Amino acid sequence: MIHTEQELELIANQIREDIIHMLVEAGSGHTAGPLGMADIFTALYFEVLRHKPQDTNWPERDRLVLSNGHINPVLYATMSKSGYFDHSELKTLRKFGTRLQGHPERLRLPGLETTSGPLGSGISQAAGMAYGLRMDSLKQPRVWCLTSDGEHQEGNTWEAIMFAGKNKLSNLTVVVDRNNIQIDGMTENVMPLEPFAMKYQAFNWHVIEINGHDFNDIISALNQSKAIFEKPTCIIAHTIPGKGVDYMEFDFRWHGIPPGIKDIHGDPPKEIQAKSALEKLRTINGKIRSEHE
Amino acid sequence: MNSLLSDELYSESITQEPTRKGFGEGLVDAGKKDESIVALSADLVESTQVEPFAKAFPDRFIEMGVAEQNMVTVASGMSAVGKRPFVTSYASFSPGRNWEQIRTTICLNDRPVTIVGCHSGVSVGPDGATHQMLEDIALMRSLPNMIVVAPCDSIEAKKATLELAKLAKPSYLRLTREKTAVITHQDTPFKIGKANVLREGSDLTIIACGPLVYEALKAAKYLESKDLKVEVINSHTIKPLDEKTIIKSAKKTKLIFTLEEAQVAGGLGGAIAELLSEHLPTQVIRLGIQNRFGQSGTLAELWAEYDLDAASIVRSINNVLKAK
């Protein structure tokens, strides 16, 4: 590992703080998913991904496809932190004229590999990239696709899983954010996905299940996927939606709204939601003392 | 008689070929010139005529199974890493079923992918309404970045395939199943976005696309014997429309008929009505499918039923002129 686990934890937490600031500034957007995926984005961008933030067209770069485009605050915050663009630009999220559109738009921001938001089309694109890269016998960059559990309710997703399994796209890793929530409630109530791992296995994928907040677990699974031959890999990352802010954790009501716009029963009043979230993040839920105290 | 058109134009023995055949030949030629070209099929290799390419370049052909949404989206991903995909199926399914994927991952992403929609129009015949795509022009024409081409015969389809392959743009190529007259020849000019005036006239203009261009020519020839001078324009590119040529003709004849094997709402007729109402208000009569679905039958029966054949065109023109 390039960084220690503690360093990675710190980076992920700074990314979470950025996410809260961005969402408050924007006044709309998704909160729970981005917070839940901060550790995985940190592991990818700071440990695993072959990329050059200053040279976004580098042909040998790994391709990262974000399928569930609505969690893009975590993508933008992580890209900025790893050097793709200046930190000050984060506050333009969702504003008129911004490169940080409400859902990621490739043509607006160098470093984005695709445009996404409508659910269920990321794995297809990633599989197309993996297939195309494999046709050229050059050194094969790897394709990483980040998806949500909810978008496995889209038929297109399973068409893509079937295609990647058939073609043994071993240069493709899909990471599923298994946070169990979606806009209308818990995935298992809205439209059950279990037995989830067995479904991927049945389509001839290699499946790894991990704790999506344990850096050793995350990095070892990401690296393991590179060593699997003849099969694409699916990493089912069990994550906590809203991770890092106790009153948001596991609560689907925080799926699609930012802090500060609405009182939610049992949570801090809207006026202090953001402040309270940032306090939790700065102290890692009270585990450490913060310089802000 | 006309250097743009076949010498056999009005002969009984005029060559008959489906436009999809020209596409099949064109794709092989394009594939020889450009190694980045790949072709995808959704379980319709033979009938879409992607087969010659699949045989010539097996490593660059991908069988996708019956999954049109995945097919166009995989193509978007392949184009992101330097490939130039042509995705083939029946127009009812692609772009019929996968419009959102085309919109987001190809058009908004501005990826060079060509959607090849075979079996468009009622001329598909016995398969019936489900397989007779009539709304594809409207679906594709409304998308930013998208180019829409509907060739009039197999030679033009071959040229269109080769031209589209050279463009790094999203595009839609509209093809047909049945054999229809080959009215152009190898040297007929073809440029995307440039309509061909096939016959000059001063009384009225018919602007058509696809194999119905021949019906327009036959109608014009008949009406000439009745002292009516009909201009015929082949608007093979529906987007971007050749505004200059169309406005010029409307200025001259002041009466426009459009003709297509598609819903006139949102189709070529819609496009021309939009253009002229804004730039040169002119009466536009839209011949084509009038808010109906198709049905089983032969090409001849269906073209007659939907008022698309030469005799129906003549009748429609006479009705309009009588009412004037």
Side-chain angles (χ1 to χ4, degrees):
Chain A
M1 278 169 43
I2 305 159
H3 302 84
T4 65
E5 214 179 319
Q6 269 167 333
E7 284 169 340
L8 291 172
E9 253 181 61
L10 195 65
I11 294 170
N13 239 43
Q14 288 163 350
I15 288 170
R16 287 189 172 96
E17 288 183 45
D18 284 341
I19 292 167
I20 297 292
H21 282 300
M22 290 162 80
L23 287 167
V24 168
E25 184 72 32
S28 68
H30 294 70
T31 303
L35 291 176
M37 284 297 280
D39 296 323
I40 286 164
F41 272 81
T42 302
L44 272 165
Y45 277 82
F46 289 87
E47 288 288 331
V48 180
L49 209 58
R50 275 167 53 85
H51 65 142
K52 292 182 179 173
Q54 304 306 328
D55 181 6
T56 52
N57 288 321
W58 182 41
E60 287 173 39
R61 72 191 185 281
D62 282 355
R63 307 309 201 266
L64 184 140
V65 174
L66 176 64
S67 184
N68 51 331
H70 64 266
I71 68 162
N72 58 0
V74 66
L75 173 67
Y76 294 148
T78 313
M79 283 174 73
S80 161
K81 196 144 205 71
S82 52
Y84 282 87
F85 55 86
D86 194 80
H87 183 262
S88 63
E89 198 171 343
L90 290 178
K91 64 176 184 299
T92 68
L93 174 73
R94 288 175 165 254
K95 297 245 158 69
F96 182 71
T98 185
R99 299 195 297 173
L100 314 186
Q101 292 286 301
H103 291 84
E105 219 187 291
R106 178 182 80 89
L107 294 174
R108 297 202 188 243
L109 182 66
L112 292 181
E113 297 293 352
T114 194
T115 297
S116 59
L119 296 176
S121 57
I123 302 180
S124 291
Q125 290 175 75
M129 290 178 191
Y131 194 104
L133 290 166
R134 194 177 66 179
M135 285 173 77
D136 302 324
S137 46
L138 304 167
K139 192 171 170 153
Q140 278 176 34
R142 196 164 186 81
V143 185
W144 307 90
C145 179
L146 302 176
T147 71
S148 66
D149 45 6
E151 64 183 319
H152 285 73
Q153 292 159 0
E154 290 276 7
N156 193 163
T157 300
W158 295 101
E159 293 180 3
I161 292 167
M162 204 184 308
F163 172 80
K166 172 196 171 186
N167 290 294
K168 302 177 177 166
L169 297 177
S170 55
N171 56 341
L172 170 65
T173 302
V174 165
V175 181
V176 184
D177 177 11
R178 184 68 173 120
N179 68 10
N180 294 287
I181 64 162
Q182 56 190 111
I183 295 178
D184 280 354
M186 307 300 287
T187 60
E188 295 315 286
N189 294 328
V190 175
M191 188 55 70
L193 298 168
E194 296 294 342
F196 200 45
M198 283 166 70
K199 287 191 170 118
Y200 266 95
Q201 281 158 352
F203 284 80
N204 294 317
W205 284 57
H206 179 70
V207 179
I208 310 170
E209 296 207 58
I210 62 166
N211 170 353
H213 304 299
D214 178 324
F215 279 103
N216 282 320
D217 230 21
I218 299 168
I219 292 164
S220 106
L222 293 172
N223 285 329
Q224 190 198 125
S225 75
K226 293 195 240 175
I228 302 296
F229 289 94
E230 297 287 308
K231 275 183 181 184
T233 295
C234 169
I235 298 172
I236 298 175
H238 295 274
T239 66
I240 298 171
K243 172 72 177 170
V245 179
D246 56 357
Y247 69 84
M248 293 179 178
E249 289 184 356
F250 296 109
D251 189 344
F252 71 81
R253 294 175 303 176
W254 284 100
H255 179 101
I257 56 165
I261 61 157
K262 175 167 156 185
D263 285 322
I264 289 185
H265 182 71
D267 292 349
K270 63 182 181 194
E271 294 74 23
I272 61 160
Q273 281 166 356
K275 184 169 171 282
S276 160
L278 289 167
E279 219 168 76
K280 298 290 176 194
L281 290 168
R282 283 175 192 139
T283 61
I284 311 189
N285 262 342
K287 273 194 279 177
I288 56 164
R289 288 182 61 80
S290 157
E291 73 273 23
H292 300 285
E293 279 179 88
Chain B
M1 58 150 288
N2 186 327
S3 65
L4 289 179
L5 295 167
S6 160
D7 293 338
E8 314 235 306
L9 194 58
Y10 300 113
S11 134
E12 295 263 313
S13 62
I14 188 166
T15 310
Q16 302 272 337
E17 279 181 359
T19 58
R20 58 189 166 131
K21 181 164 181 280
F23 156 70
E25 293 166 6
L27 192 60
V28 172
D29 284 2
K32 283 181 195 153
K33 289 184 194 155
D34 181 353
E35 282 189 4
S36 74
I37 289 178
V38 295
L40 290 72
S41 171
D43 198 30
L44 290 167
V45 176
E46 193 198 334
S47 58
T48 59
Q49 288 293 305
V50 75
E51 194 167 32
F53 182 93
K55 284 193 170 141
F57 309 105
D59 296 342
R60 285 153 56 190
F61 169 74
I62 304 140
E63 175 56 79
M64 301 298 299
V66 196
E68 296 81 10
Q69 298 172 61
N70 188 47
M71 175 165 68
V72 291
T73 318
V74 164
S76 165
M78 294 188 77
S79 69
V81 296
K83 303 299 174 198
R84 177 65 180 83
F86 279 71
V87 298
T88 56
S89 184
Y90 291 169
S92 288
F93 320 135
S94 178
R97 178 166 288 190
N98 50 19
W99 183 83
E100 187 279 320
Q101 285 86 346
I102 294 170
R103 174 182 187 265
T104 306
T105 75
I106 295 173
C107 291
L108 180 54
N109 238 349
D110 201 15
R111 293 295 193 194
V113 175
T114 300
I115 317 297
V116 181
C118 281
H119 290 44
S120 66
V122 289
S123 62
V124 174
D127 278 348
T130 56
H131 285 54
Q132 294 166 342
M133 185 50 161
L134 303 172
E135 296 79 24
D136 51 336
I137 295 178
L139 285 175
M140 292 294 100
R141 187 170 83 75
S142 60
L143 290 170
N145 290 337
M146 184 57 98
I147 291 166
V148 180
V149 179
C152 71
D153 66 13
S154 70
I155 291 180
E156 190 166 272
K158 182 173 178 178
K159 290 175 189 161
T161 305
L162 286 159
E163 288 302 302
L164 290 173
K166 284 193 247 164
L167 287 183
K169 292 292 290 176
S171 52
Y172 176 55
L173 181 61
R174 179 177 215 251
L175 300 175
T176 48
R177 174 180 191 271
E178 287 294 289
K179 288 181 179 173
T180 47
V182 180
I183 61 173
T184 65
H185 53 71
Q186 301 305 334
D187 300 325
T188 309
F190 178 84
K191 195 166 168 261
I192 288 165
K194 180 80 191 84
N196 289 341
V197 180
L198 299 181
R199 197 184 163 104
E200 301 219 4
S202 50
D203 294 325
L204 62 95
T205 307
I206 307 175
I207 305 171
C209 65
L212 291 180
V213 170
Y214 187 40
E215 300 306 304
L217 286 168
K218 286 192 284 187
K221 182 167 181 277
Y222 171 80
L223 289 167
E224 191 179 34
S225 66
K226 308 280 171 208
D227 281 336
L228 206 59
K229 295 182 191 66
V230 177
E231 182 144 302
V232 176
I233 297 177
N234 173 17
S235 183
H236 48 69
T237 308
I238 296 154
K239 187 181 178 185
L241 211 52
D242 182 353
E243 302 186 353
K244 229 170 126 180
T245 301
I246 292 163
I247 290 172
K248 193 177 155 202
S249 183
K251 246 181 211 160
K252 180 166 67 171
T253 67
K254 300 184 178 64
L255 177 58
I256 302 284
F257 287 78
T258 63
L259 175 66
E260 64 198 306
E261 215 183 323
Q263 302 291 354
V264 295
L268 173 71
I272 285 167
E274 287 163 16
L275 171 76
L276 291 177
S277 64
E278 232 171 57
H279 295 282
L280 184 74
T282 306
Q283 187 177 10
V284 178
I285 314 294
R286 297 168 304 157
L287 308 179
I289 309 298
Q290 311 290 342
N291 202 28
R292 293 171 70 189
F293 286 110
Q295 58 185 301
S296 292
T298 64
L299 176 145
E301 287 165 340
L302 293 166
W303 278 7
E305 167 66 21
Y306 292 86
D307 293 335
L308 303 172
D309 61 4
S312 306
I313 298 165
V314 168
R315 196 169 57 240
S316 300
I317 289 174
N318 283 335
N319 287 344
V320 170
L321 293 179
K322 252 184 257 160
K324 269 189 177 278

